[in-house]
Amino acid sequence: DSGVTQTPKHLITATGQRVTLRCSPRSGDLSVYWYQQSLDQGLQFLIQYYNGEERAKGNILERFSAQQFPDLHSELNLSSLELGDSALYFCASSVVANSYNEQFFGPGTRLTVL
Amino acid sequence: GIQVEQSPPDLILQEGANSTLRCNFSDSVNNLQWFHQNPWGQLINLFYIPSGTKQNGRLSATTVATERYSLLYISSSQTTDSGVYFCAVAFLTGTASKLTFGTGTRLQVTL
């Protein structure tokens, strides 16, 4: 158990809908990362937050947004869902925001868009 | 461009055999991690190893940062070792601390 929690574990929804994925980092970690794992793109970085502020963006679609709350949990919002958004979404956390820190991954949320 | 390459892409072993997985990266790194993704999809941290050598039970890893590669050794493999092994790096000149993942080595351990 990495200490990072994600809910829900599975999500099945229809095209055009909007969903919210939730992540709680390890106790004491200030930085949260979101990654997407799809069959065609592999594991890709989406976005990073540090202590409530956006720190870095990857190839995140405009239909996707995220935030980190004062209690440090984070939410990833996916809207106008398309079939291609079906993927495993991981949250990771680290103590601080720089690249020298080990990242710990949650169990993931498996999203299926029908 | 910035790349992380893993080899071999697929590996089938009999239980008890040893194996070496390789990760090559194209630029200097601040962070290198090895993960095991089990059949249920969970990503399990194996090593944080930007340089040097570490061992944890039957697994060990070595990163030679100056030559831009890392090796993961699995000894006396067991069926529970099956899954996909990923190498991921944070590049020195990259965006903040994002991890760039390789495409993985799929390992199947048979009885």
Side-chain angles (χ1 to χ4, degrees):
Chain A
D1 185 353
S2 67
V4 179
T5 61
Q6 289 187 248
T7 56
K9 289 185 180 176
H10 302 277
L11 202 45
I12 301 174
T13 189
T15 54
Q17 295 298 304
R18 172 189 169 95
V19 297
T20 298
L21 313 184
R22 183 187 168 105
C23 166
S24 293
R26 293 186 321 156
S27 177
D29 285 0
L30 299 179
S31 198
V32 169
Y33 311 77
W34 287 97
Y35 292 85
Q36 178 194 58
Q37 185 177 28
S38 62
L39 283 175
D40 54 344
Q41 298 288 332
L43 263 157
Q44 288 200 335
F45 168 76
L46 294 178
I47 197 164
Q48 177 194 5
Y49 278 81
Y50 174 68
N51 206 19
E53 296 199 359
E54 183 182 304
R55 186 66 180 247
K57 260 185 176 179
N59 295 325
I60 187 167
L61 299 172
E62 285 192 10
R63 301 184 285 108
F64 295 2
S65 65
Q67 53 185 326
Q68 185 179 26
F69 294 86
D71 67 352
L72 300 178
H73 91 271
S74 177
E75 293 181 356
L76 178 67
N77 300 296
L78 315 176
S79 62
S80 303
L81 285 167
E82 302 175 0
L83 296 178
D85 298 328
S86 295
L88 194 49
Y89 291 85
F90 288 104
C91 169
S93 72
S94 66
V95 175
V96 291
N98 66 46
S99 56
Y100 292 91
N101 291 104
E102 186 173 6
Q103 294 182 28
F104 295 86
F105 282 69
T109 294
R110 189 175 296 277
L111 173 66
T112 303
V113 182
L114 301 175
Chain B
I2 294 174
Q3 289 185 347
V4 181
E5 296 179 345
Q6 292 186 242
S7 60
D10 296 280
L11 193 54
I12 301 175
L13 299 175
Q14 272 202 315
E15 200 172 39
N18 303 327
S19 61
T20 301
L21 283 57
R22 187 177 178 103
C23 172
N24 292 332
F25 43 94
S26 59
D27 207 343
S28 299
V29 299
N30 292 324
N31 177 1
L32 188 146
Q33 294 184 234
W34 282 97
F35 296 90
H36 173 215
Q37 187 167 36
N38 64 23
W40 295 271
Q42 289 183 310
L43 274 176
I44 299 164
N45 287 44
L46 297 177
F47 294 102
Y48 167 73
I49 187 165
S51 64
T53 296
K54 289 186 178 179
Q55 180 155 8
N56 184 3
R58 297 181 295 103
L59 303 182
S60 63
T62 294
T63 296
V64 184
T66 53
E67 296 186 23
R68 300 181 184 168
Y69 72 89
S70 183
L71 302 174
L72 177 68
Y73 306 96
I74 305 174
S75 64
S76 304
S77 58
Q78 301 175 358
T79 55
T80 52
D81 295 332
S82 297
V84 183
Y85 290 80
F86 289 102
C87 165
V89 305
F91 288 102
L92 185 64
T93 56
T95 303
S97 50
K98 74 165 191 173
L99 288 177
T100 298
F101 283 78
T103 52
T105 292
R106 184 175 299 274
L107 174 65
Q108 183 180 353
V109 181
T110 62
L111 291 171

